Amino acid sequence: MVRPLRVAVVGSGPSGMYAASELVSDGQAEVDVFDRLPVPFGLVRYGVAPDHFSIRSIRDTLDRIWDQPGIRFIGNVTVGTDVQVAELREAYDAVILTYGASADRLLGIPGESLTGCVGATDFVAWYCGHPDANRDFFESYLPTVSHAAVIGLGNVAVDVARILAKTAEELHATDMPVHVRKTLAAMALTDIHILGRRGPAHATWTTKELRELGELENCAMEVDPIGLESEAAWSTDQRVATRNVEVVRSWMDRPASSGRKLHLHFLTRPIAVAGTNQVSMVQVERTAFTQSGGLASTGEVLDLPVEFLVRSIGYRGTGLPGVAFNDDSGTVVQNEGRIEPGLYAAGWIKRGPSGIIGTNKKDASETVATLLADVQAGGLPTSTNEIDELLSSRNLEAVTIAGWRAIDRAERELGTQFGIDRMTISDRASMIEISTLG
Ligand code: NAP
């Protein structure tokens, strides 16, 4: 009898789970899904905003994939450290890299490394209860902040601004850990600025997410009118652009109200961050469109007092030893998902940080089709090693599906104590300990 194909998937976010599901669906393959964290689902757990309940519920759909025969979870094992890609390639017929884009892009301006200037990945990870988040920093620093700014006009910038702007009551039903709730509630925040170097018509945020900013309970919108006029030109989708501009314009006619203020600034880019030991100011300059749609400096400079500055200018992937990587794009070098026969990629590490969660299904399908075509053509190298022996020889505390299910149960039980569906457990040692009960 011909044995099933053996595939390792590296990363249990949506693209990895969709690829694994497709491979095991008709019994054609056995798949091991690796993740460096003790829990699966990547950005669905640690990136999607905790108050976006319906998007977060995709977890339940992904969770059902574990019920299919032929799939295993190997959590708490880091590929590139605990086990190398080359070793996986010896143990499996094929390896699919789906580990996403977890690094921040930098602005490249003076003062960016000052305390209080952080990447969105760090802040988002912290408020989602990521075990590697810098808890000490956020818990001690945020309560000292009264003015914050977010750079970028994408959906992540909107998430960050909204989470900062919401009241404790508005965040109550989320699965945020207690330390996150307490810290956010302790912030004496008065002003949040969103800074975009182009206009609202060129923003990458989606209209639904943008509208939510106007629905905040205790936060007034303040729109700087500069840049609103440049709306129509150079936007890629005129229909979406027009809608987004309309939403922003509608906020201009609102009567002033009390509470926090969320300021929207367009044609504004940061040129320096300043402060003594920590950020106290971001210096911004007005930009203007050139005739061809590029951005030019106007020389007009403004100092904005802020103690907390979040770069939300996009994520980028990082390379793994032995895998062809393009440093400019922060993605692996691939064609239709094939890096080379036997080694594939899907999701953000393949195409860059773009699209919605569903985009990863189509993307993973393309990669699986390429892999299966290589199998058909007899083009895969033969695997020679046993992964279980290799992993057990390294004394790793790998988490299985049963282990994840134990953590899942514990999070739901913890949630009932607070009258919510679940509360994220963020401490890695606790997660590992609970997983052994599974
Ligand atoms: P993004 O959509 O690429 O937005 C990045 C923003 O940063 C853009 O406004 C960009 O402006 C700006 N930017 C880039 N370099 C800059 C610089 N040097 N100075 C100033 N501004 C700069 O990235 P993202 O917000 O991180 O989102 C990543 C992906 O996740 C997107 O596909 C997004 O839709 C998705 N996502 C979706 C949701 C949701 O559906 N609810 C939530 C979160 C994230 P320019 O346009 O001028 O370059």
Side-chain angles (χ1 to χ4, degrees):
M1 197 182 100
V2 184
R3 70 162 174 80
L5 191 70
R6 279 204 299 254
V7 181
V9 168
V10 180
S12 63
S15 55
M17 294 304 292
Y18 289 136
S21 173
E22 208 168 315
L23 281 164
V24 296
S25 62
D26 56 3
Q28 60 192 327
E30 288 173 353
V31 179
D32 286 347
V33 182
F34 288 78
D35 204 295
R36 72 190 174 91
L37 294 176
V39 288
F41 311 143
L43 278 190
V44 175
R45 188 179 158 100
Y46 293 117
V48 172
D51 61 338
H52 275 169
F53 300 102
S54 84
I55 310 181
R56 267 175 108 73
S57 70
I58 291 171
R59 279 197 285 204
D60 299 334
T61 313
L62 297 181
D63 209 16
R64 286 195 284 279
I65 294 173
W66 298 126
D67 297 333
Q68 298 183 57
I71 187 168
R72 298 194 302 177
F73 178 51
I74 304 182
N76 200 37
V77 172
T78 304
V79 172
T81 310
D82 296 326
V83 57
Q84 299 301 323
V85 172
E87 292 172 316
L88 293 183
R89 295 194 66 186
E90 284 172 10
Y92 295 91
D93 302 311
V95 175
I96 310 181
L97 304 177
T98 58
Y99 60 89
S102 58
D104 261 309
R105 292 184 54 225
L106 291 169
L107 286 160
I109 59 174
E112 202 173 354
S113 58
L114 274 169
T115 300
C117 179
V118 303
T121 45
D122 293 333
F123 183 53
V124 172
W126 171 76
Y127 67 60
C128 288
H130 195 293
D132 299 339
N134 189 346
R135 270 189 65 175
D136 289 349
F137 165 70
F138 286 112
E139 285 172 58
S140 61
Y141 192 81
L142 290 183
T144 69
V145 171
S146 56
H147 300 76
V150 189
I151 297 161
L153 299 179
N155 276 331
V156 172
V158 172
D159 282 349
V160 165
R162 191 184 63 253
I163 293 292
L164 282 171
K166 277 196 167 178
T167 61
E169 291 71 34
E170 286 175 291
L171 295 173
H172 173 72
T174 70
D175 55 13
M176 285 175 165
V178 170
H179 67 264
V180 173
R181 293 162 190 264
K182 280 191 174 158
T183 307
L184 290 175
M187 286 182 82
L189 202 54
T190 58
D191 296 84
I192 304 158
H193 300 268
I194 296 183
L195 307 172
R197 61 184 174 180
R198 298 193 289 156
H202 324 101
T204 49
W205 54 38
T206 39
T207 313
K208 183 170 169 291
E209 275 64 28
L210 178 63
R211 281 207 177 100
E212 284 178 65
L213 291 181
E215 294 159 7
L216 296 164
E217 263 170 30
N218 191 31
C219 188
M221 297 298 299
E222 300 264 323
V223 181
D224 179 346
I226 292 175
L228 272 178
E229 299 316 319
S230 59
E231 69 256 22
W234 307 297
S235 50
T236 42
D237 185 331
Q238 295 288 328
R239 213 168 38 93
V240 174
T242 306
R243 222 167 42 212
N244 285 345
V245 173
E246 275 168 17
V247 172
V248 174
R249 277 188 189 285
S250 73
W251 294 330
M252 299 195 64
D253 308 326
R254 285 196 184 177
S257 60
S258 59
R260 288 176 175 165
K261 287 195 168 47
L262 180 51
H263 309 262
L264 283 182
H265 308 263
F266 303 106
L267 294 186
T268 299
R269 74 171 158 213
I271 52 171
V273 185
T276 313
N277 296 315
Q278 61 181 58
V279 176
S280 60
M281 187 263 282
V282 57
Q283 191 168 61
V284 297
E285 79 168 357
R286 284 275 175 229
T287 54
F289 281 107
T290 63
Q291 290 213 326
S292 57
L295 278 184
S297 301
T298 61
E300 191 186 335
V301 171
L302 187 83
D303 291 345
L304 209 60
V306 294
E307 305 89 37
F308 186 50
L309 185 64
V310 184
R311 282 185 308 266
S312 183
I313 60 169
Y315 295 163
R316 54 173 287 114
T318 48
L320 275 173
V323 179
F325 193 74
N326 182 333
D327 253 328
D328 293 334
S329 60
T331 54
V332 296
V333 179
Q334 53 79 37
N335 183 20
E336 294 178 349
R338 183 192 302 103
I339 301 169
E340 54 187 85
L343 184 61
Y344 306 85
W348 280 9
I349 197 61
K350 170 187 175 188
R351 66 171 199 279
S354 64
I356 56 172
I357 292 175
T359 315
N360 295 299
K361 195 161 194 173
K362 197 160 158 257
D363 185 309
S365 263
E366 180 192 63
T367 299
V368 168
T370 302
L371 188 163
L372 294 177
D374 285 355
V375 175
Q376 282 287 321
L380 292 195
T382 322
S383 58
T384 51
N385 244 339
E386 247 310 311
I387 192 66
D388 291 348
E389 274 172 32
L390 181 80
L391 294 178
S392 55
S393 72
R394 300 212 169 146
N395 291 325
L396 303 168
E397 293 179 297
V399 175
T400 62
I401 296 174
W404 148 241
R405 291 259 149 88
I407 299 171
D408 186 38
R409 273 194 307 278
E411 291 192 333
R412 289 177 197 274
E413 281 161 20
L414 185 60
T416 58
Q417 294 174 30
F418 292 86
I420 54 177
D421 286 347
R422 76 154 67 223
M423 183 175 281
T424 300
I425 296 173
S426 61
D427 174 57
R428 188 184 279 261
S430 305
M431 284 193 241
I432 305 288
E433 198 184 323
I434 296 166
S435 75
T436 60
L437 307 172

